């Protein structure tokens, strides 16, 4: 099985780390891994204060709450995003201001931002889609400064280009949002962080941190089991065993879903607004040990896909993206054909606020207001990049004809 969605990051070493943690329940909530992880993130990103949460959406919720914005203040988000970005701000009685995207890096279009911004717009979420540096990042940061907007750079999909220091990443310029969900750049099954150098925000986040509750022991137990189970399922999927186990576990709902049924109805789910347990920090530190190898694999896959699909076109240098976006007129056929060969292609995002089931009217999106994003949503598919070299070649063999 090769999948963009299902446990792309899990290795035997992650499964082993999780099994060791499963038999040490006294270290699930508190322990040294939290401090070590904070230090690690500071080494990568610089002198920010680091706040950890159970999810990226909890991180976003807490930081928006700390800003104490007036009711109905607008938060500019791009119209090619997911529920985890939009639901926290609606819950806090803020309004999403949907900005269209540019088709090169699938990030905010500065011209549309300039057209739509109002005096009520106070915050801007600058999304690094698939881990790409937004094409207009510098211009957007400069514009935000001119208009006194607070920028949250959403690095949930990845931060390779951001942290490789080829750009100006001065801490005071923006607040950073990270996610360590199971389909992200690094996975501890659930996880998120805010990195901030804003003293007022940090003071408030510290107050909330003290009062935050942890997820239940059952929740942590399920998250820990996910790693060995996912590894087993992936390894045995092609001989049917994994397929059966996967189906059974789904029916039994052994692992909490990435998007809960409440969220799929377009409602905020407080179950994810919790503190980050030490057990998950331990898993994330283990992923960091493999990060160079993971990125080398991603880089290889992206280079292969780029040279195949964009042979004669001028493109940017390959980056280790978490998924490789491709537009196809015949998306459903490509996805169905690939699925028959146990290749699971992703659909980020097949709706301006994904996943597809979400009722957009509840999220304040007006159809037609982000035409570029809507068009891309109708054609996009994502090839998996967290794969071995052999797997990347297999992906190309399967997809090449249908998608071209
Ligand atoms: C662009 C973006 N930002 C933030 C998040 C929030 O991450 P989490 O799933 O950890 O809540 C996601 C999740 O998918 C995302 O896609």
């Amino acid at each position: 099985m090769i999948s963009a969605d299902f446990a792309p990051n899990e290795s035997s070493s992650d499964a082993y780390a999780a099994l060791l943690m499963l038999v040490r329940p006294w270290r699930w909530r508190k322990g040294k891994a939290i401090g070590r992880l904070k230090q690690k993130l500071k080494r990568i990103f610089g002198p920010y204060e680091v706040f950890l949460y159970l999810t990226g959406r909890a991180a976003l919720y807490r930081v928006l709450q700390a800003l104490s914005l007036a009711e109905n203040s607008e938060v500019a988000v791009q119209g090619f995003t997911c529920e985890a970005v939009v639901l926290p701000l609606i819950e806090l009685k803020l309004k999403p201001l949907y900005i269209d995207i540019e088709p090169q890096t699938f990030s905010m279009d500065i011209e549309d931002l300039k057209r739509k911004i109002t005096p009520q717009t106070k915050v801007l979420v600058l999304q690094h889609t698939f881990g790409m540096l937004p094409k207009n990042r510098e211009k957007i940061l400069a514009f935000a400064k001119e208009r006194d907007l607070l920028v949250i750079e959403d690095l949930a999909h990845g931060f390779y280009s951001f942290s490789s220091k080829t750009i100006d990443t001065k801490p005071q310029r923006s607040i950073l949002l990270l996610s360590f969900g199971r389909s992200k750049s690094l996975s501890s099954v659930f996880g998120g962080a805010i990195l901030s150098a804003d003293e007022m925000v940090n003071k408030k986040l510290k107050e909330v941190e003290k009062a935050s509750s942890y997820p239940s022991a059952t929740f942590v137990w399920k998250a820990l089991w996910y790693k060995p189970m996912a590894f087993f399922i992936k390894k045995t999927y092609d001989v049917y065993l994994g397929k059966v186990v996967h189906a059974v576990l789904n029916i039994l709902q052994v692992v909490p879903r990435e998007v809960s049924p409440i969220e799929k109805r377009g409602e905020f789910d407080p179950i994810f607004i919790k503190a980050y347990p030490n057990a998950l920090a331990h898993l994330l530190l283990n992923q960091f040990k493999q990060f160079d190898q993971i990125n080398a694999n991603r880089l290889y896959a992206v280079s292969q896909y780029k040279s195949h699909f964009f042979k004669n076109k001028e493109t940017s240098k390959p980056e280790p993206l978490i998924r490789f976006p491709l537009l196809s007129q015949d998306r459903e056929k490509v996805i169905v054909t690939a699925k028959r060969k146990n290749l699971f292609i992703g659909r980020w995002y097949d709706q301006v606020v994904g996943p597809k089931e979400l009722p957009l009217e509840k999220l304040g999106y007006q159809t037609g207001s982000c035409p570029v994003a809507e068009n891309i949503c109708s054609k996009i598919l994502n090839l998996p990049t967290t794969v071995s070299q052999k797997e990347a070649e297999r992906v190309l063999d399967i997809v090449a004809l249908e998608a071209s």
Side-chain angles (χ1 to χ4, degrees), residues 203-387:
K203 191 166 164 266
K204 292 204 177 162
L205 290 179
K206 273 183 201 156
E207 282 163 21
V208 175
E209 200 173 42
K210 279 188 214 137
S212 289
S213 62
Y214 285 95
S216 66
T218 317
F219 190 103
V220 177
W221 181 86
K222 287 180 175 177
L224 285 171
W225 263 115
Y226 177 82
K227 292 233 165 199
M229 279 184 322
F231 180 70
F232 176 79
I233 289 168
K234 281 182 77 169
K235 286 289 161 201
T236 58
Y237 202 89
D238 293 353
V239 292
Y240 292 100
L241 183 57
K243 207 171 198 165
V244 174
V245 175
H246 191 213
V248 172
L249 294 181
N250 263 344
I251 293 167
L252 298 176
Q253 293 191 14
V254 176
V255 182
R257 292 182 192 283
E258 269 186 298
V259 181
S260 75
I262 296 177
E263 290 177 323
K264 282 190 181 160
R265 295 202 300 266
E267 290 160 23
F268 179 74
D269 192 342
I271 192 174
F272 295 124
I273 313 299
K274 300 274 180 196
Y276 190 56
N278 184 65
L280 301 193
H282 173 76
L283 300 184
L284 199 67
L285 287 169
N286 196 62
Q287 286 258 295
F288 265 116
K289 288 187 203 154
Q290 308 161 66
F291 202 29
D292 288 344
Q293 184 56 52
I294 293 175
N295 276 330
N297 286 350
R298 285 181 183 147
L299 201 54
Y300 179 83
V302 170
S303 316
Q304 292 296 305
Y305 301 157
K306 269 200 160 176
S307 55
H308 180 88
F309 291 108
F310 303 117
K311 278 202 246 339
N312 304 319
K313 289 186 198 139
E314 190 72 23
T315 60
S316 54
K317 238 174 82 201
E319 295 172 83
L321 307 179
I322 55 163
R323 291 162 177 235
F324 184 81
L326 203 59
L327 301 184
S328 167
Q329 299 291 349
D330 222 348
R331 173 174 62 194
E332 296 315 313
K333 184 169 161 237
V334 178
I335 291 178
V336 170
T337 313
K339 196 173 166 192
R340 280 195 211 112
K341 297 179 179 157
N342 290 344
L343 165 61
F344 297 87
I345 290 175
R347 295 167 165 274
W348 284 4
Y349 296 106
D350 52 4
Q351 178 168 278
V352 282
V353 186
K356 189 102 177 156
E357 300 94 318
L358 283 178
L360 286 180
E361 60 294 346
K362 261 192 175 169
L363 305 178
Y365 181 77
Q366 248 189 348
T367 305
S369 63
C370 297
V372 177
E374 286 179 20
N375 181 36
I376 288 176
C377 289
S378 69
K379 300 190 182 114
I380 198 156
L381 52 83
N382 341 128
L383 302 184
T385 56
T386 314
V387 292

Side-chain angles (χ1 to χ4, degrees), residues 55-57 81-82 84-85 127 154 156-157 177 179-181 184 191 349:
T55 52
R57 62 204 87 171
T81 191
C82 72
V85 174
Q127 183 175 303
D154 182 349
H157 290 184
L177 167 67
S179 165
F180 313 122
K184 301 297 178 4
Y349 296 106

